[in-house]
Amino acid sequence: QVKFMESGGGAVQSGGSLRLSCVASGFTYTNYDDYCLGWYRQSPGKEREALARIETDGTTEYAGIVKDRFTISRDNVKNTHYLELNDLKPEDTAMYFCAANHGACAYYGFGYWGEWGQGTQVTVSA
């Protein structure tokens, strides 16, 4: 069973930066290279927000609210994908989840995810 585990969350001040990582494991019948990878976040009382995703070929797509501040990337050798968060604001405070779908991102809606990790908390103070 494929599993995803996030790390890198924490508490920062407004304007600060963080780099989230998501390590995948358990590939028996599939390959990491064949997964669409992404990130979403959720905070209490709010709907889940899809943030970014990266295609099997490295093409990226972002939600408008984070497009100029967050950067998604992947390292297929390390079975890891990342989300770099810059110019953080208090409204970015949330639990951040890495997520994945087997196959090309183009097969799925932007906010649809079949697999995800346990989450890592990001807290931004004013």
Side-chain angles (χ1 to χ4, degrees):
Q1 182 180 359
V2 179
K3 294 183 179 180
F4 298 86
M5 181 174 292
E6 306 91 339
S7 63
V12 297
Q13 291 186 330
S14 183
S17 299
L18 287 171
R19 190 190 196 201
L20 309 183
S21 300
C22 178
V23 179
S25 61
F27 295 94
T28 302
Y29 303 107
T30 58
N31 297 314
Y32 181 80
D33 301 15
D34 297 329
Y35 278 77
C36 165
L37 305 168
W39 293 87
Y40 68 90
R41 69 187 181 190
Q42 189 159 25
S43 53
K46 294 185 179 180
E47 292 189 359
R48 189 171 79 174
E49 289 184 297
L51 300 175
R53 64 182 184 179
I54 184 166
E55 268 285 14
T56 54
D57 68 357
T59 304
T60 57
E61 184 178 1
Y62 296 93
I65 54 173
V66 301
K67 185 175 182 179
D68 296 325
R69 299 187 296 122
F70 294 2
T71 302
I72 189 172
S73 60
R74 65 190 293 165
D75 185 335
N76 290 343
V77 174
K78 296 181 179 180
N79 285 5
T80 302
H81 70 287
Y82 307 92
L83 187 67
E84 184 172 344
L85 317 177
N86 295 311
D87 189 24
L88 283 161
K89 308 175 186 302
E91 52 265 40
D92 293 319
T93 295
M95 186 73 80
Y96 284 68
F97 297 85
C98 67
N101 290 315
H102 186 240
C105 294
Y107 296 155
Y108 304 94
F110 183 68
Y112 177 85
W113 297 108
E115 301 177 69
W116 51 88
Q118 295 298 309
T120 186
Q121 178 68 36
V122 171
T123 302
V124 185
S125 58

